[in-house]
Amino acid sequence: GGAMTSGRAARIWQFALPPLTIVAVVVAWEALVRLRGIAPIYLPAPSSVFVYLSRMIADGSMPYHLGITLLRIFVGFGLAAVFGIALGVLMGMSRTIARVADVWIAALYPLPKISLIPLLIIWVGTGEAYKIVISAVSAFFPIVISTYSGIRQTDRGLIKAAKDLGANARQIQLKVVIPGAIPSIFAGLHLGMGIAIILVVAAEMIGGSSQGGMGWLLISSGQVMETEKVFASLIVLAVVGAVVIKLQQWIDRKVAPWVNYNDG
């Protein structure tokens, strides 16, 4: 049983290490602030950040701003997913569509999406439309590109086998090509979601005025030097980002159990 026990100990250690690292950093941070007497305006202690965070959760301000931001992210991301996957599939099915769309993607994809913000503000103002458009545009490109490349990489042998079994073009698309492209499509959705989160928060920061959201909360707290609120907002964003990624991985496994995902 010696090998078994050491194997179990190693596994427990692997699980315990990440939370222990976080605890160690928090304790060191708290000690540094207290021993050095650092002003909260520069670096508040974790304990006071936690107090601010719990107050913001209790008074409903944090759930309110987080809700607004998540709504903007998911509405934009949903639009990008629908149109992005559809265009990617069409490009995979038709040479002509692929040629035409390729030109536009090659021109627009490398453009930093954040540079579209001034234009969008001119065109649609700083209301909801602007934040949803930025979310949709930023997520759209990785989704299209990944879907298209996934469909192009379909094993030709599988397509030939399906044809030999008497499958028509539509059946081949639905039963062979699209299921084969699922890992690529999901990779695009992960990328798209990551970029959408970043750009919605940035758009809220730049869009100014009092329309709420995590970006607005960060900027407005920073302007009045409430560093505790800035840290509290950053912690919430980090946790939400991690939860969204884990959720996506869980959905991947549920939707496409036949794909061997690396547990990342």
Side-chain angles (χ1 to χ4, degrees):
M4 282 284 286
T5 340
S6 68
R8 187 176 297 144
R11 265 210 306 281
I12 293 169
W13 180 239
Q14 270 185 328
F15 273 110
L17 195 57
L20 283 175
T21 316
I22 293 170
V23 170
V25 169
V26 169
V27 169
W29 171 3
E30 184 83 35
L32 177 77
V33 170
R34 292 196 180 282
L35 296 172
R36 278 291 177 84
I38 298 168
I41 196 168
Y42 295 116
L43 186 67
S47 51
S48 65
V49 171
F50 183 74
V51 168
Y52 269 80
L53 178 56
S54 41
R55 267 189 222 152
M56 290 164 86
I57 292 170
D59 70 12
S61 61
M62 185 59 84
Y64 170 75
H65 290 296
L66 181 60
I68 292 179
T69 297
L70 286 176
L71 192 65
R72 289 165 179 160
I73 290 166
F74 281 105
V75 171
F77 175 77
L79 289 168
V82 170
F83 289 106
I85 293 172
L87 180 59
V89 169
L90 286 172
M91 285 169 72
M93 287 163 68
S94 151
R95 277 266 157 81
T96 318
I97 295 175
R99 282 218 180 107
V100 173
D102 239 0
V103 175
W104 287 97
I105 290 171
L108 295 173
Y109 182 57
L111 189 74
K113 301 306 163 285
I114 206 156
S115 60
L116 296 174
I117 288 180
L119 253 187
L120 284 175
I121 291 176
I122 293 167
W123 287 345
V124 295
T126 55
E128 287 312 300
Y130 143 75
K131 281 134 194 161
I132 289 167
V133 169
I134 231 2
S135 170
V137 168
S138 56
F140 176 75
F141 287 99
I143 294 172
V144 175
I145 290 165
S146 301
T147 303
Y148 177 47
S149 74
I151 283 174
R152 278 187 51 198
Q153 282 161 9
T154 311
D155 186 344
R156 296 285 155 222
L158 281 176
I159 294 176
K160 193 177 177 307
K163 267 193 187 137
D164 293 346
L165 290 168
N168 63 30
R170 190 164 154 275
Q171 286 172 323
I172 289 174
Q173 278 300 325
L174 292 174
K175 298 271 169 22
V176 180
V177 178
I178 293 173
I182 291 271
S184 289
I185 294 172
F186 280 165
L189 292 172
H190 283 263
L191 268 174
M193 175 58 85
I195 301 170
I197 293 174
I198 294 165
L199 275 156
V200 167
V201 174
E204 290 171 344
M205 293 170 99
I206 297 168
S209 72
S210 56
Q211 268 148 356
M214 296 303 291
W216 178 81
L217 193 59
L218 277 165
I219 280 287
S220 56
S221 310
Q223 283 168 343
V224 291
M225 304 288 190
E226 285 190 283
T227 318
E228 295 91 346
K229 278 191 177 179
V230 173
F231 271 101
S233 308
L234 289 173
I235 289 166
V236 167
L237 276 174
V239 169
V240 166
V243 168
V244 166
I245 289 167
K246 287 287 167 212
L247 259 176
Q248 280 189 310
Q249 288 173 347
W250 179 79
I251 292 167
D252 289 0
R253 288 192 198 94
K254 279 274 171 278
V255 174
W258 65 86
V259 179
N260 178 23
Y261 290 103
N262 297 324
D263 286 325

